[in-house]
Amino acid sequence: MLSLVGIIVGLALLIFLAFRGKSLLWAAPVCALLVAFTGGLDMFTAYTQNYMEGMVGFVKEWFPAFMLGAIFGQIMQDSGGAVSLTKAVVKLVGRDKAIFASVLCGGVLAYGGISGFVIIFSMYPIVLGLFKEADITRRLIPATIMTGAFTFAMSAMPGTPTIQNLIPTEYFGTTATAAPVIGIVCTIIMFVGPVLWLSWRAKKFRAAGEGYDEPDEMPEEVPDDKLPPAWCCFIPFVVIVILLNVFKMNIVVCLLAGILLSLVFLFLMGKVRGSVYLTNVGETCNKGCQSAVSAIMNTAAAVGFGSVVKITPGFAFLSELVLGIGGSPLIAESIAINVLAGATGAPPPAVSRSPWTLWRITLFRCPRPPAFLWRCSTGLAPSPAAD
């Protein structure tokens, strides 16, 4: 029981320190040592072996994907490609549908492989303008952008090139398009539900006399004549998705192809229009790599925390507890993965280190194919390092 309490306290402390702006590079090991102490483990061994093996193993396996994804996103940000594509989607949907257009734009960018942080910075000036025209309070902007960038396009949409969608494929033997019908249904629910709720909240705020108010500092919006054509940014997105899902290529190859294609299109269109969309490719790559290091090291630190948690008696007790869940095996698995994700503190390690528990729950009780189990395993994402 003490070990289980230690896991809960360690996780709560980790989340608290992360929200206080503390680096996970030291916060995660400290919380892991607390978990190890309450679990009766050798603290030195827990840190130097279990923690570091989990952390280093994650970096070794996923750093190329993180790095290339960050560089691709930085190219889209520095060139104005993400802004150009966002404006094209808004023009297609209509500026009068501010919330719907904003969520859709975030989903399109996320599905194309753009980092959530790049999406936020690229979309904010445009969403601000949309909300101003629609007289919607700025308080709904974070939820609107994050609905598109961090929900359905991250794990529900079949074929999305995000790590949340790719990591479980190794353990379930599936592909990025596993269980497409379930994925599409979940995508519709995760898209329509928040859009309706945000629209309802906007009306309630407006009825209460709270509409749009100007921020203290207005972000500068890039003029259309300085942006690259939307199609030369959209085609690399399509190529990444096709190479990943049709030709079944490794995500590293897919992202590399997207990067090269983006650079070629931006260079050629720059020559045609007499513009320079990327003033310094080397500096763009540098910023992308710096973002990748920060992202993967913070995520890996949380993975290390999860690696210590999973060897404690408390986690073993928790695993046996979720094994006893009755009823539908699919519901049992969904609950199990959420509980174990919360216990380990990070979605990637929770999903990647819980397959044996999930198989024990489902293999002998559920005649469903692995694709069903994989789609049911996406859920809670409590990690302060997620994306």
Side-chain angles (χ1 to χ4, degrees), residues 5-356:
V5 172
I7 292 175
I8 297 173
V9 173
L11 178 61
L13 180 61
L14 178 63
I15 295 175
F16 172 78
L17 292 174
F19 275 104
R20 296 289 294 180
K22 310 305 179 184
S23 172
L24 290 184
L25 294 181
W26 70 262
V30 168
C31 296
L33 290 176
L34 173 62
V35 171
F37 175 75
T38 56
L41 306 177
D42 182 272
M43 297 173 66
F44 182 78
T45 302
Y47 176 68
T48 58
Q49 294 185 22
N50 303 104
Y51 181 91
M52 291 307 300
E53 285 175 1
M55 181 178 182
V56 173
F58 185 83
V59 173
K60 177 184 176 182
E61 185 173 1
W62 290 102
F63 180 73
F66 268 78
M67 181 186 69
L68 293 175
I71 291 175
F72 181 63
Q74 197 67 49
I75 291 173
M76 290 294 119
Q77 182 176 6
D78 289 356
S79 67
V83 175
S84 178
L85 190 58
T86 299
K87 287 188 173 184
V89 174
V90 170
K91 184 178 180 180
L92 180 66
V93 175
R95 298 183 68 87
D96 57 318
K97 303 177 181 65
I99 292 177
F100 176 84
S102 300
V103 173
L104 182 61
C105 288
V108 170
L109 294 176
Y111 193 79
I114 300 297
S115 164
F117 297 110
V118 172
I119 294 173
I120 291 172
F121 289 114
S122 299
M123 286 186 59
Y124 178 67
I126 300 172
V127 175
L128 198 64
L130 292 175
F131 275 44
K132 181 178 181 179
E133 290 184 18
D135 191 28
I136 299 174
T137 175
R138 288 188 295 114
R139 290 209 281 171
L140 295 179
I141 289 181
T144 301
I145 296 178
M146 294 183 71
T147 296
F150 296 103
T151 58
F152 59 91
M154 181 174 286
S155 60
M157 290 183 70
T160 181
T162 60
I163 62 169
Q164 287 82 2
N165 192 48
L166 296 176
I167 289 179
T169 60
E170 301 178 17
Y171 299 92
F172 286 96
T174 56
T175 65
T177 55
V181 175
I182 295 178
I184 292 172
V185 171
C186 291
T187 297
I188 294 173
I189 295 173
M190 296 169 73
F191 179 88
V192 175
V195 168
L196 292 177
W197 184 85
L198 288 167
S199 300
W200 177 75
R201 290 297 297 162
K203 290 180 181 179
K204 295 290 287 184
F205 278 121
R206 197 180 295 113
E210 182 176 349
Y212 179 84
D213 61 308
E214 294 284 355
D216 295 334
E217 296 184 9
M218 285 291 293
E220 184 179 351
E221 190 169 344
V222 183
D224 291 349
D225 58 352
K226 293 186 179 181
L227 295 174
W231 64 263
C232 76
C233 306
F234 181 69
I235 290 179
F237 286 12
V238 176
V239 169
I240 290 175
V241 174
I242 290 177
L243 291 179
L244 176 66
N245 298 294
V246 178
F247 294 95
K248 310 299 181 184
M249 291 187 177
N250 187 280
I251 184 60
V252 173
V253 178
C254 301
L255 289 171
L256 185 59
I259 290 172
L260 295 176
L261 197 58
S262 299
L263 293 176
V264 170
F265 281 162
L266 290 171
F267 175 77
L268 293 178
M269 290 308 301
K271 288 295 183 182
V272 171
R273 293 186 167 188
S275 301
V276 178
Y277 296 121
L278 277 179
T279 56
N280 191 329
V281 177
E283 182 61 26
T284 295
C285 292
N286 286 344
K287 289 189 290 185
C289 289
Q290 291 170 1
S291 299
V293 169
S294 175
I296 197 169
M297 290 305 294
N298 278 285
T299 306
V303 171
F305 173 82
S307 298
V308 174
V309 168
K310 73 184 184 68
I311 61 172
T312 60
F315 187 79
F317 171 78
L318 193 61
S319 298
E320 293 300 324
L321 187 65
V322 296
L323 285 175
I325 298 175
S328 168
L330 294 180
I331 296 178
E333 187 219 9
S334 182
I335 295 174
I337 193 64
N338 278 273
V339 171
L340 297 180
T344 52
V351 174
S352 62
R353 284 161 174 76
S354 302
W356 310 122

